[in-house]
Amino acid sequence: MSKTLPLVTLALLTACARTGPASRLHASPEEAVQAYFQASDTGSSRLLRSAFHPDVRMHWVDGVDGALRTRTQLEWWQVLDADAPQPASERGMTVLDREGPFVLMEAVSHWPDHTFDDLLLVVETPVGWRIVGKVFQRLAPGESAPGSASAQEEIRAVLDAKIEAHALYSHALLHQSHTPDCLYYRLNVEGVPFAWGTLSEAAARYAANAEAGIQDRESPWNILKVEVRGNVAAAKLEVRVGGVRFIDHLLLVRTGGQWRISAAAWGNPVPPP
């Protein structure tokens, strides 16, 4: 989505971008996740801002009533700055999938009375690697977050609904298969190296195509990976459109008995020359 900024505002934004601290740049996805760990251990919203894109919404499911919970970055900054830090006793990270500027990662953090199992979308942006999606599961000591065959089937059905939404350009199917606040980060699409938009913006484009009688049933999709961790999950899809291969890295949550896509990063994993 393009917007025209007044020249003075644009100049100020450009100046800020050029003079930003080097500590905000992360040379690898692991470095971005490590900055997230350090932010939590030290109670530093500054470090958190370097690790996460500011529009990221963190999602989890309440263990008591199964309700979806959401926290914005701004809300998270206030919590970090207000509370005394409680460093984790142990942390680890695993790359679940990496292709070009797209990475799916799992980050596990242990405290004496609980564990957090995070699934993260990490992408390479013009200012370095940053986390653009996070879902997590809170576990009791010694508890694991396994995936089941039924969960795999349910998630694949949601992914099929997303694929069908694209084929029909159906905003209704987008609504059914996503959380309302899902953001889509895109890389190397239509000459733009990095951008993002809301689900409603995507739905508006779909609706315009549908009203014009446009469909896309020819583009072949494949579901390449599904990783389930209790009531959160990650997935990877691929599609070829006009001879160009695109991939989707997705995060999902199970709320109200239904899986939904809550965060997405997609685009061309091979930047144009």
Side-chain angles (χ1 to χ4, degrees):
M1 178 175 62
S2 62
K3 294 183 178 179
T4 302
L5 294 173
L7 291 179
V8 173
T9 303
L10 182 59
L12 288 172
L13 290 174
T14 303
C16 291
R18 289 175 178 171
T19 59
S23 61
R24 295 198 176 198
L25 302 177
H26 300 297
S28 70
E30 292 83 359
E31 189 175 301
V33 174
Q34 189 60 45
Y36 156 44
F37 287 166
Q38 292 173 354
S40 176
D41 286 343
T42 61
S44 171
S45 63
R46 180 187 65 81
L47 280 173
L48 196 71
R49 289 193 294 274
S50 80
F52 282 80
H53 188 273
D55 278 345
V56 171
R57 292 164 175 82
M58 173 171 59
H59 295 92
W60 72 100
V61 175
D62 191 288
V64 177
D65 58 10
L68 179 65
R69 307 298 185 196
T70 302
R71 178 173 288 170
T72 67
Q73 289 298 296
L74 180 57
E75 290 170 332
W76 198 2
W77 302 342
Q78 312 317 304
V79 172
L80 277 183
D81 289 339
D83 294 345
Q86 296 181 331
S89 57
E90 182 183 354
R91 292 187 186 270
M93 66 178 83
T94 303
V95 174
L96 301 176
D97 186 84
R98 179 170 185 172
E99 186 172 350
F102 299 89
V103 182
L104 281 176
M105 297 189 73
E106 181 174 20
V108 180
S109 303
H110 298 281
W111 287 265
D113 61 344
H114 69 280
T115 293
F116 283 145
D117 193 340
D118 296 350
L119 296 175
L120 305 170
L121 301 180
V122 192
V123 301
E124 188 173 16
T125 78
V127 297
W129 287 88
R130 300 185 92 175
I131 301 167
V132 298
K134 167 180 158 78
V135 296
F136 76 87
Q137 170 108 359
R138 181 182 174 120
L139 304 169
E143 184 184 4
S144 62
S148 65
S150 61
Q152 287 266 346
E153 293 175 1
E154 292 169 2
I155 290 168
R156 287 178 178 272
V158 172
L159 299 177
D160 286 340
K162 168 193 160 58
I163 293 169
E164 184 70 2
H166 173 84
L168 297 177
Y169 290 116
S170 167
H171 61 82
L173 283 175
L174 277 185
H175 173 71
Q176 293 171 21
S177 54
H178 293 71
T179 62
D181 60 353
C182 179
L183 291 177
Y184 266 76
Y185 290 82
R186 55 188 183 271
L187 281 72
N188 306 321
V189 177
E190 296 180 343
V192 179
F194 177 70
W196 64 98
T198 66
L199 187 70
S200 293
E201 289 173 320
R205 291 192 296 271
Y206 275 28
N209 282 342
E211 289 168 2
I214 299 171
Q215 294 189 0
D216 181 13
R217 289 200 170 277
E218 291 73 32
S219 298
W221 288 79
N222 292 302
I223 299 173
L224 301 179
K225 180 184 290 289
V226 175
E227 297 276 352
V228 185
R229 302 292 185 272
N231 55 29
V232 298
K236 179 183 182 180
L237 282 65
E238 69 173 2
V239 61
R240 292 188 179 275
V241 180
V244 179
R245 178 176 175 268
F246 298 95
I247 66 170
D248 284 71
H249 272 177
L250 308 170
L251 298 180
L252 302 95
V253 292
R254 189 175 190 273
T255 176
Q258 179 181 350
W259 286 94
R260 291 195 172 197
I261 299 164
S262 63
W266 75 281
N268 186 347
V270 181

